[in-house]
Amino acid sequence: MFYTVAGIINTAFILLSLVGVWAQLRTVWRRRSAGAANGGATDILSLNQFTVSFLAYLSFFVYGYTIQPFNHFIVWPRLLASVLVLLILREIWTDRRSRAATNGLALACVALLCALAGLVWGQRHVDEGRVLASAMIVAISALLAQGYAHQILLIWRSGRTGAVSLRMSQLILLMDISTVVFAFAMGLHLGWPLLLLALVSGSTKIAILWLFRWEQRSALAAHKRHPLPALVAQR
């Protein structure tokens, strides 16, 4: 009963987090339609962070269909989240057309196709798939910490949050909290990958939420946004 209730609650918060990812996508579209300056429609958005976020969602999608029994609470919301983040990567590529953006988008597309192929044809290799997905989640947890650290550094250096969506960070933090509860409901034998990634993601979201407050209230942030011209020495 606890597992079912925790799974339903986690799924509800995952769906709420998708509203947050959708809000991020709408923010980019709104900035583009308004002819945004200061770096364009995807200003301050970290390609690094969104690429790793995509891989994190996708790794849980793979993990959910490789454990027994098949975990619908994990699989389908993460697949939808992967598609939405893929759209954000496409917007970053449209805005920047850099080699890094092209490589990130291509990597995401290939990874999604491979994950879908695994869902269709990989049922005969469930145990191997679960071990591989667990290893992916450990690696992606480290990459996610690095990716969000990059996003945090971009905000800190510029003194502004730019196109980063406050709503997305708030809702994903709620999803991470519910995922921690769901991981315990699954049992740590199966749920530890969810617990690891949720703790990493949640801690970085708390830092980003603090930076939104810092942007509004800190004199240092204002100085970074509008540095004073160097004073000319008086003769």
Side-chain angles (χ1 to χ4, degrees), residues 15 17 19 42 44 75-76 84 96 127 137 165 175 178 203:
L15 294 176
S17 77
V19 174
T42 58
I44 301 299
V75 170
W76 306 120
L84 288 176
R96 304 175 190 178
D127 291 337
I137 291 172
S165 170
M175 179 198 71
S178 70
S203 60

Side-chain angles (χ1 to χ4, degrees), residues 20-107:
V21 179
W22 176 251
Q24 177 66 81
L25 193 56
R26 287 186 61 194
T27 297
V28 172
W29 288 340
R30 185 168 58 249
R31 287 172 61 88
R32 176 164 290 123
S33 64
N38 296 326
T42 58
D43 178 40
I44 301 299
L45 294 188
S46 168
L47 172 65
N48 184 332
Q49 182 249 301
F50 277 99
T51 302
V52 176
S53 293
F54 170 84
L55 293 174
Y57 280 125
L58 196 69
S59 66
F60 273 129
F61 167 65
V62 174
Y63 186 74
Y65 70 67
T66 54
I67 61 176
Q68 291 296 325
F70 186 103
N71 195 312
H72 296 277
F73 293 126
I74 296 176
V75 170
W76 306 120
R78 260 69 178 206
L79 176 59
L80 182 54
S82 298
V83 172
L84 288 176
V85 178
L86 180 64
L87 292 176
I88 294 175
L89 289 174
R90 182 184 180 279
E91 292 299 325
I92 293 175
W93 173 78
T94 300
D95 211 28
R96 304 175 190 178
R97 299 296 176 116
S98 65
R99 176 179 295 181
T102 301
N103 291 340
L105 181 60
L107 170 65

Side-chain angles (χ1 to χ4, degrees), residues 189-204:
H189 175 66
L190 288 178
W192 68 265
L194 281 78
L195 180 63
L196 174 64
L197 195 53
L199 289 175
V200 171
S201 176
S203 60
T204 57

